[in-house]
Amino acid sequence: MAKITPKKLSGLLLLSLTSLCLLACSQKELPTQATAPVTVNQAAVAMPDSYSADVARDILQKGGNAVDAAIAAQFVLAVTLPEAGNIGGGGFMLVYKDQKTDFIDYREQAPLSAHRDMYLDENGEVIPYQSVIGILSSGVPGTVAGMWLAHEKHGSLPWKELLQPAVTLAEEGFEVHPKLASSIERHIARLEKRGFELNFKDYFESAKANQVFKQAELAETLKRIRDQGRDGFYKGETAKIISDFMRKEKGLVTEKDLLSYEAKTRQPLKAKWREYQLLTSPPPSSGGVAIIQWLKMYDLLTRDQQKLAHNSAAYLHLLSEIGKRVFADRAEYLGDPDFIDVPVTNLIADDYLTMRSQSVMRDKISETELIKPGLKESEETTHFSVMDKWGNAVSNTTTINLGYGSSVVVEGAGFLLNDEMDDFSSKPGVANVFGAVGGKANEIQPKKRMLSSMTPSMVLQDGKVVLVTGSPGGTTIISSVYLSILNALEFSMDATDIVNQPRFHHQLLPKDVIRYHDGLAPEVISELEKMGYIMSNRRFGDMHVVLNKDGKLSAASEANGRGKSIVF
Ligand code: DON
């Protein structure tokens, strides 16, 4: 059942690109009231849908902390936000609790039988789309292990209490948001049009706008997780269902892969920027290094001049020039730190970035081909932000990669599998679905974690969290995150503007393309076109931020999505 029939491979790139960011891209809905910042000063949640927002608020009101709320929300999203919320994927959770920092890496990893050339044909060419859709695109899921570890380290309410809302929503059903219903409809139509025979339709076709949608198999899986903790997924019945399904469908994830998966604690990446402390994601995320480079180079290049106007052509050009250099480094140096040495300290060192920013051109575009890595040596993810009344915060980004992941549901367990293997570099220099290239640092190896752009982040001032931020969007995540920090701290915007101001993204390749949101001034677009940029109007991201201005909280979810923010 879960087979790709590759008869119509042409056009699949379009499928991949259009099916990612289903929630976040290209919709031109009017802002909803959900995005209005609320200003009661106590606790705040900014979530990608109303179910996760309400449950996270309930957990906080019961006396749970930000991590409890995050865990409960993560499992709810596995039910109500199938395009990205998951137990079949992975993610990163950044925690600031009791004035201490923590980072839980629950990224998927390559199965034990994966190998460097697994997506190449006998001529050494990349087999189209095999890493993006269908059973072979899945890495070993990390979400349940990640939530379990977060709970062991930081949770205060019983695990079962945190799982129950998700179980209820799966078992008794939830009312399907019209945006979700139409996204599912479009996804089914695209799969059919392109000739894929996957079981996505069997599971999701009955999700209709404003009607109750139940997921019985998923409810049983969530009950096993509720009752047995991480063993309810990685051992026993669920593990057997997954590995039997994999054997039947010729996938790679085995009992041994599941048993040996571990979520990891890592040191969050910290950097001083202005009077703030940036707290962000370390490798295997590329995002933390990237946003620190971006923000520091921005300061180096603007400190002797008048502040650039927000979203002016000069602003977009400068940040795109920086982006070229950031992404050249990303492609060369970033990967899983358990497999390669990532020179993080050197990449974010002030003297390196001073040197690196010297070649930035003020009035014209640097030649893409000339931008090399700089060191001398050698549409769907989802994000949410929470702050509790004690000032603890969680910034969490989670994904199954593209919208609805591999489009394969584990039969009998009722959850969608990720297609995260595409985040590896299948072949040096060949772009993945996000246009990202890589080489040795990010080649496939058994048990290795694929490089990510997910960048859950916070900004601290004097030991207090002033901004919790993050977004989906593949490589564009990095731009959404650093732009949200500039919006908040360079342009003093409120939470609603931080998430809704038009954004833009440039990543070295494709050459000189700036992707941008509706709302940029037409004269800015034409000025950049005159400079030689190719302006591509395609929305990205779905930001959910919490802002703390002098002890007064506000929170906002991007108007384009179906998010909900509450301050209470
Ligand atoms: O980890 C990453 O960088 C990607 N798998 C994230 C995918 C994503 O954000 C898709 N969303 N629109």
Side-chain angles (χ1 to χ4, degrees):
M1 153 125 13
K3 263 179 253 117
I4 302 178
T5 35
K7 59 184 176 199
K8 284 191 187 162
L9 284 178
S10 64
L12 283 183
L13 180 60
L14 184 66
L15 163 68
S16 309
L17 289 171
T18 46
S19 59
L20 68 93
C21 303
L22 286 179
L23 177 76
C25 302
S26 307
Q27 295 167 1
K28 290 187 180 137
E29 257 98 349
L30 292 170
T32 63
Q33 59 183 38
T35 60
V38 210
T39 45
V40 189
N41 180 12
Q42 211 183 9
V45 301
M47 292 282 158
D49 77 356
S50 66
Y51 296 102
S52 52
D54 292 346
V55 166
R57 180 205 48 213
D58 293 349
I59 295 289
L60 292 175
Q61 281 179 334
K62 269 192 200 166
N65 63 33
V67 177
D68 292 319
I71 294 168
Q74 172 86 33
F75 285 110
V76 165
L77 291 167
V79 179
T80 61
L81 200 108
E83 63 269 54
N86 67 80
I87 52 173
F92 299 131
M93 182 187 283
L94 176 64
V95 178
Y96 185 73
K97 184 160 166 281
D98 305 330
Q99 323 279 298
K100 290 194 208 73
T101 63
D102 198 6
F103 186 84
I104 311 254
D105 165 1
Y106 59 99
R107 181 72 162 160
E108 300 94 322
Q109 65 187 31
L112 289 158
S113 58
H115 56 93
R116 192 191 63 188
D117 299 335
M118 64 185 277
Y119 298 115
L120 303 186
D121 64 16
E122 57 282 8
N123 302 318
E125 299 303 329
V126 174
I127 304 166
Y129 316 108
Q130 205 169 69
S131 63
V132 187
I133 198 148
I135 197 102
L136 283 174
S137 65
S138 300
V140 184
T143 296
V144 177
M147 295 306 111
W148 184 249
L149 181 59
H151 186 255
E152 276 189 326
K153 295 182 79 179
H154 304 294
S156 70
L157 294 183
W159 173 258
K160 286 189 178 185
E161 242 175 82
L162 305 181
L163 264 288
Q164 191 53 46
V167 170
T168 307
L169 285 161
E171 190 161 51
E172 295 175 12
F174 69 96
E175 197 178 305
V176 175
H177 192 291
K179 282 183 182 174
L180 172 58
S182 61
S183 150
I184 288 173
E185 224 171 81
R186 288 196 304 272
H187 193 66
I188 290 172
R190 275 192 296 258
L191 289 170
E192 277 178 357
K193 189 163 164 215
R194 313 294 176 200
F196 283 118
E197 287 172 17
L198 300 166
N199 66 8
F200 179 79
K201 183 175 170 181
D202 307 339
Y203 278 82
F204 289 98
E205 194 179 29
S206 60
K208 298 289 180 216
N210 304 317
Q211 290 181 19
V212 172
F213 176 57
K214 298 182 186 176
Q215 297 170 87
E217 287 180 0
L218 179 59
E220 292 310 307
T221 304
L222 288 166
K223 281 184 199 168
R224 288 190 290 274
I225 298 168
R226 176 193 65 191
D227 298 340
Q228 300 158 38
R230 63 159 286 160
D231 288 354
F233 187 86
Y234 295 95
K235 290 183 182 168
E237 191 173 342
T238 312
K240 185 171 178 343
I241 295 173
I242 299 170
S243 42
D244 285 351
F245 178 70
M246 283 282 166
R247 260 188 297 276
K248 175 165 120 358
E249 299 295 336
K250 305 202 176 8
L252 299 183
V253 178
T254 62
E255 286 94 335
K256 207 164 161 203
D257 280 304
L258 294 167
L259 254 186
S260 63
Y261 181 85
E262 274 175 33
K264 296 189 179 176
T265 294
R266 299 193 190 273
Q267 276 298 319
L269 208 51
K270 295 175 189 165
K272 191 172 156 25
W273 180 68
R274 303 185 178 174
E275 69 269 38
Y276 305 103
Q277 188 180 40
L278 300 172
L279 199 61
T280 184
S281 306
S285 170
S286 59
V289 167
I291 69 160
I292 293 169
Q293 289 192 325
W294 226 308
L295 290 167
K296 282 189 172 184
M297 282 200 263
Y298 173 79
D299 273 10
L300 285 165
L301 289 160
T302 54
R303 68 180 162 200
D304 297 329
Q305 67 181 60
Q306 250 198 335
K307 187 161 138 181
L308 294 170
H310 185 252
N311 281 355
S312 58
Y315 183 72
L316 267 76
H317 168 62
L318 182 75
L319 289 167
S320 300
E321 279 285 289
I322 297 172
K324 280 190 153 63
R325 286 142 182 94
V326 169
F327 269 85
D329 281 355
R330 180 192 190 276
E332 179 72 15
Y333 303 119
L334 272 295
D336 183 345
D338 295 339
F339 283 73
I340 56 153
D341 283 330
V342 184
V344 172
T345 314
N346 298 347
L347 286 167
I348 59 173
D350 289 343
D351 48 357
Y352 170 64
L353 294 173
T354 305
M355 181 277 287
R356 191 79 171 133
S357 56
Q358 272 157 7
S359 64
V360 162
M361 312 242 257
R362 299 287 175 160
D363 304 317
K364 53 181 195 161
I365 306 173
S366 294
E367 275 294 326
T368 301
E369 293 72 19
L370 300 180
I371 306 295
K372 303 286 177 213
L375 285 181
K376 289 278 177 293
E377 73 265 37
S378 78
E379 255 170 69
E380 194 76 39
T381 300
T382 191
H383 174 86
F384 59 78
S385 301
V386 186
M387 198 183 290
D388 66 23
K389 63 182 173 190
W390 300 285
N392 303 318
V394 170
S395 183
N396 187 84
T397 312
T398 184
T399 191
I400 40 177
N401 199 22
L402 303 188
Y404 308 101
S406 60
S407 298
V408 177
V409 177
V410 177
E411 287 164 19
F415 67 88
L416 275 163
L417 285 161
N418 67 81
D419 60 340
E420 219 72 61
M421 292 296 284
D422 190 60
D423 276 347
F424 278 117
S425 170
S426 293
K427 185 179 175 183
V430 175
N432 75 354
V433 82
F434 296 106
V437 290
K440 202 156 179 52
N442 191 33
E443 70 183 16
I444 303 172
Q445 282 177 257
K447 295 195 82 171
K448 190 176 177 186
R449 278 143 144 103
M450 50 299 273
L451 183 61
S452 175
S453 299
M454 289 185 288
T455 318
S457 299
M458 297 179 198
V459 181
L460 273 71
Q461 189 174 25
D462 304 328
K464 287 199 179 60
V465 177
V466 296
L467 180 71
V468 188
T469 182
S471 180
T475 46
T476 67
I477 291 171
I478 296 169
S479 292
S480 292
V481 172
Y482 86 76
L483 288 171
S484 73
I485 294 172
L486 288 176
N487 284 351
L489 302 170
E490 170 83 338
F491 297 102
S492 308
M493 289 181 194
D494 65 19
T496 309
D497 276 348
I498 291 172
V499 298
N500 287 319
Q501 279 292 320
R503 298 192 294 273
F504 53 91
H505 172 74
H506 176 65
Q507 61 168 44
L508 187 67
L509 294 169
K511 187 173 160 27
D512 302 335
V513 170
I514 295 181
R515 187 167 158 186
Y516 69 97
H517 288 192
D518 275 347
L520 271 191
E523 56 277 15
V524 167
I525 295 167
S526 55
E527 201 172 319
L528 290 162
E529 279 170 346
K530 261 187 233 139
M531 286 182 80
Y533 283 109
I534 298 150
M535 300 301 288
S536 161
N537 179 202
R538 206 152 53 84
R539 209 184 159 83
F540 56 84
D542 184 37
M543 301 211 78
H544 304 276
V545 305
V546 175
L547 181 69
N548 176 3
K549 252 190 182 161
D550 307 321
K552 193 168 159 184
L553 298 192
S554 55
S557 295
E558 208 169 310
N560 192 59
R562 53 181 203 270
K564 177 171 168 179
S565 305
I566 319 173
V567 179
F568 52 100

